[in-house]
Amino acid sequence: MNGIRTRVALFAGGALVTLVALLVLSLTTGEMRIPVGTALRALVGLGDGGDVLVVQQFRAPRSVAAIVGGAGLGVAGCVLQRLFRNPLASPDVMGVTGGASLGAVALIAAGASQTLIPLGALAGGLLSALLLGVFAWGSGLSVTRLVLTGLAVQAGLAAAVNLMIVRFPAELAGSALQWTTGSVYGRTWTEVWGAGGAMLLALAAALVLHRRLAVLDLGDDSAGALGLDTATARLQLLVLAVVLASLAASLAGPVTFVALAVPHIVRFLTGPPTVVSLALAGLTGAVLLLASDLVVQHLLPIEGLPVGAVTATLGAPWLLVLMFRQSSPVRRTHA
């Protein structure tokens, strides 16, 4: 027990230090390099007006959006994988990314203001949850039915998004395509505060509902014997995960890989899931998405590349490894 607590403490401390270091790096590096002390003063509105403008209006909102979005994706992935009892579960399976893309692209097609597009993504993600609940309710929200229905919803929404982009004028198609890949470029404080406040409430709800998730881990029969209404509990947790992923998508777009990988990283380094695992998943997701955005900005030669391109590149081999591990036969030893 002490060994597990030590690992958890070391992991949490290391992730927190890494997150702070990445945040400082994001505020100080770019086309205009700013010393750390100057950047921190500019963050609170002190110092040269140019430094304040760059740090407060361009770099800080983008970095905070990556942190908030990554935290939401990490916790959403953790909840979904435990809820489905499937290590491949992610918001993609639930159709959340397809719904978020559809909502954002629809507003782009309507010529809406850039500040309204994240709201469209949030509405689209919630729409996917509604569709999923309607189609899967008849089975009592069984795990198998949820997965199959989620894949169907995701495929249908993705097809609708592709059709809209193909029909777009050339000047809108590029903007829509970049957003649907996933990006935190151009985020504003208005968007960050709105989604961030809602995200804090959703993360608090995840911690409160963790006990129901732990009971569901025992299986439906055991959970029912303990007095838990499994269908209601599963619906509550499913809606919560969709809200988390939708809020993340409203800030960062339909970013892939983060929600899939984070639960595995946390489980590998800290052991069996607990309520602390949810907090660590949020912290790890924030580190992963912010680090990926810094790679996009400063290490890759392609200007304007969305952060989703980096996470998708990492996610493809990760998904293949997971699939091979799931399909490989169990080796038995004979005495």
Side-chain angles (χ1 to χ4, degrees), residues 201-226:
L201 294 176
L203 292 174
L207 296 178
V208 170
L209 292 176
H210 177 267
R211 180 171 296 180
R212 299 184 183 185
L213 185 60
V215 174
L216 286 174
D217 285 342
L218 301 175
D220 286 1
D221 292 338
S222 298
L226 292 173

Side-chain angles (χ1 to χ4, degrees), residues 75-262:
V75 175
C78 193
V79 171
L80 288 175
Q81 289 187 14
R82 291 177 63 183
L83 188 61
F84 288 172
R85 306 184 197 111
N86 189 328
L88 300 178
S90 73
D92 295 342
V93 173
M94 304 309 305
V96 178
T97 55
S101 298
L102 181 63
V105 169
L107 287 187
I108 292 174
S113 169
Q114 185 71 25
T115 58
L116 294 178
I117 292 176
L119 294 178
L122 176 59
L126 296 176
L127 171 64
S128 69
L130 178 62
L131 292 174
L132 184 66
V134 169
F135 293 140
W137 184 262
S139 65
L141 295 178
S142 68
V143 173
T144 302
R145 182 69 175 267
L146 281 170
V147 172
L148 294 176
T149 305
L151 289 172
V153 170
Q154 174 70 12
L157 293 173
V161 169
N162 291 333
L163 179 61
M164 293 177 67
I165 291 178
V166 169
R167 302 290 296 176
F168 273 1
E171 61 272 15
L172 291 179
S175 175
L177 189 59
Q178 182 184 43
W179 198 96
T180 56
T181 306
S183 175
V184 290
Y185 174 77
R187 295 283 76 86
T188 65
W189 281 120
T190 300
E191 298 165 355
V192 170
W193 287 124
M199 185 72 78
L200 284 177
L201 294 176
L203 292 174
L207 296 178
V208 170
L209 292 176
H210 177 267
R211 180 171 296 180
R212 299 184 183 185
L213 185 60
V215 174
L216 286 174
D217 285 342
L218 301 175
D220 286 1
D221 292 338
S222 298
L226 292 173
L228 182 68
D229 185 340
T230 57
T232 300
R234 187 171 288 118
L235 179 61
Q236 291 172 338
L237 291 163
L238 178 60
V239 170
L240 174 64
V242 170
V243 168
L244 285 167
S246 299
L247 288 170
S250 73
L251 284 176
V255 174
T256 58
F257 174 66
V258 176
L260 175 67
V262 164

Side-chain angles (χ1 to χ4, degrees), residues 32 54 104 113 159 167 225 265 333:
M32 184 175 74
V54 170
S113 169
R167 302 290 296 176
I265 296 172
T333 56

Side-chain angles (χ1 to χ4, degrees), residues 8-9 28 32 57-58 71-72 125 204 261 279 289 307 312 321 328:
V8 169
T28 57
M32 184 175 74
Q57 301 303 318
F58 297 109
L289 190 56
V307 66
V321 170
S328 60

